[in-house]
Amino acid sequence: MLIEKILFPTKFRELSFNSLRTLLPLKASGLKEIVFCHIIERDDVGFVPFGGYMKEEEEKLREQARIRFEDWQKSCAEYGIKSSIIIEVGEAVPHILGIAKKEKVDIMIVGRKKKVAMGNLFAGDHTLQLIRRSKVATLVSKYMVNFEIDGSQYERINENIFDLPLIVMDCSEHSERALNALISLNNTVKKAVIVHHLRVAISKKHDAGELHAAEEAVKDTFDKFCMRLKEAGIQCETHIGAGEIVEEILRISRERNATMLIMGTTGKDRLHEFFQGSISHDLVKLSELPVLLVP
Amino acid sequence: MCDPADDGFKQSSDYFCSYGIYMQTDLGEIVPLWSTIPFVGMLLSIALFPLLAPKFWHHHFGKVSFAWSLIVVIPFLVVYKGQALYEFMHIVMADYVPFIIILIALYTVSGNILLRGTLIGTPAVNTLILLTGAALASWMGTTGASMLLIRPFLRANSFRKNRTFMVVFFIFLVANVGGSLTPLGDPPLFLGFLRGVPFFWTFKLAIQMLFTSAILLLVYYMLDTYFYKKEGHQVHKQQTDKEPLSIEGSHNFLFLAGIVGAVLFSGMVKMGDLNILGVHRAAQDVIRDGTLLFLASLSLITTKIEVREANEFSWFPIQEVSILFIGIFLTMMPCLKILQAGSDGALDFVVKAVEEPYHYFWVTGILSSFLDNAPTYLTFMSSLLGRFSPGLEGQEAMAVLLNEKDLYLKAISAAAVFFGSMTYIGNAPNFMVRSIAEETGTPMPSFFGYMLKYSIPILIPVFILVTVIFYL
């Protein structure tokens, strides 16, 4: 997987541009083009009760978006990155997914870039819909977040997001895809943290031998992963997690000062997610770090 | 005190009586004429704000509706207390709630049906689409049929230069006239059904509907043929990537049949009354409303989200109708009560001035053109009940109207539906069709342009013919 083309949908909320700036280092990993897109919600201009369509309002919003994008394009040009602009009217989620497919982008940037209110989850409904349905990798960007750990309040600015990514691995196919995505960032990422979660249940009655065997197997897997990363020029450190997987990943990411999370997704639909839950979606909602999901 | 012998109490509930609320003589006989001002204000707001201040209206219509409602509700509750509370509760529970539920059900189910495929907008194909839409409108609602067909219709004609008149005829036929055969077709007829008009009674409008539709389709075909030849397009012959016609979400037709069945059921079965928040509601009506919501939910659950997205489905139009119509129904209450009081009410002069069926046809029609047709219909139905069945309640009053004066009811029913197409504000789907057409690049005339270029020269002569043939 090479990240050559990014789709950057935006509502021009506060800090959107800051979020964009965090992506520009990807130029070193082969980023060639950013497609900016803004979807004017149909309900903002159409279906005026008993009125019709506000064409002038649409044109005004289009012009506003174009002017803002052209300003952003200058920043891209300074980095030697091409850019294009798409402005459409309609429902945001299907239009963004449609553009991602049509433009054949490698990755899509989603999520709120504004300051998140205390106690709120780090992802809104649109973001969750997009990551649930996207066929391409999605980076849930969170430029500035406020969050709480053990009753203490923190504010975090995710500026250098590629400094120390944490990748969540097991031996599945989707982990392999996540690893390939990380390797494709080799000229941007210098070091990564690998976390493997032990699926063996730890209880009073656990079989020590079984646990030991599982740990050994993980170490072998770690060695293989680290070897591949080192070949790509990325140093790595490894950690084994046990217990509640989401909490473990959050704990390790904070202890190791990770700057983003990377994981593969299994493509569960809404029904499966409802009954079985989704680790990746929980991480998107609960972690204060940007999350790269690779389907 | 609560006197069960008084007809006025038959509609009131045990709840209200048990709390010792004194139900006076008919409210319609005592409320003053100026109490109808908020209703007029509400309707004028709907008519004028979209023209004069569309952006303000778009963002604040809910507040406007709320304000007009408060102007009626607070003084009435202060002055008439329990009696006013009962009337407001009754109009909300017995009229507004079922009205919104049927709209939600039809809108949701039809929004889950997607017509795919390449249609080439020749005069014959376009006429066939309009005919199909008009035929479907009575069974899936004018809004449902419009939403199902407007995008395929516009796509089919994207290569045509003159498209405006096509959309106008679409509004005439699919968004209005076609909905006159059943209570599902157009909101006024459903309100009539809720007031006791039998489901199949509206079939009596079939001849008028067929007559009007036939003329409009013929005029459309001639116009389209003229423009088609004039444009001299050959684009359709060059199209190579033709997608065969198909319907996605076709299982939703079963849900549509379920909606028809549920409405029929509530009109044919009597299961006694239920007391809901102090208002008596027929058990079969409550079952119908629950079934409609269940069918709408099933439709949402069983249809892929991609189908709705391809239809550009949005909840906004339904939200907007729900917000506006709570204001309409609350402000309308005094007006309805006065008209129901007939010659004993403050609008006695209106009841006396409008006498003949053709009077009712034209007055209902002209008002339906500029005000929403649902409240207009209900207002004139109340006027008819007040005139021909003074002192009688509910089904008894309706029976007199249906058995002895049904030409009057035909006149207001046909007028409310047909004249809804005279302006963009006559019927809710009109502005939705206009909005979608403009969004996809079809220029549409202004409010007055629509009337001067299209509805007056085309529809008024047709309605004059309808009057001469059916009401004189």
Side-chain angles (χ1 to χ4, degrees), chain A residues 238-268:
Chain A
T238 57
H239 299 272
I240 296 176
E244 286 297 319
I245 183 164
V246 173
E247 286 173 17
E248 275 296 272
I249 293 167
L250 291 176
R251 179 185 65 79
I252 295 170
S253 71
R254 286 166 187 160
E255 284 180 3
R256 309 315 301 171
N257 290 322
T259 54
M260 76 184 298
L261 305 178
I262 301 176
M263 80 178 291
T265 57
T266 52
K268 282 176 188 169

Side-chain angles (χ1 to χ4, degrees), chain A residues 48-49 54 57, chain B residues 45 49-50 52-64:
Chain A
V48 178
M54 294 191 288
E57 181 70 6
Chain B
S45 298
F49 271 120
L52 305 176
K55 202 171 168 186
F56 168 84
W57 179 242
H58 191 42
H59 292 108
H60 302 291
F61 67 90
K63 296 177 193 113
V64 174

Side-chain angles (χ1 to χ4, degrees), chain A residues 131-133 265-279 281:
Chain A
I131 60 174
R132 191 178 288 124
R133 295 173 58 190
T265 57
T266 52
K268 282 176 188 169
D269 60 23
R270 192 186 275 263
L271 203 62
H272 280 92
E273 191 189 324
F274 180 79
F275 288 110
Q276 298 174 358
S278 162
I279 297 162
H281 297 178

Side-chain angles (χ1 to χ4, degrees), chain A residues 42-43 47 49 51 53 133, chain B residues 57-58 309 312 434-435 439:
Chain A
R42 172 173 293 103
D43 297 348
F47 296 139
Y53 193 78
R133 295 173 58 190
Chain B
W57 179 242
H58 191 42
E309 286 175 353
E312 303 277 2
R434 176 195 180 185
S435 187
E439 182 194 331

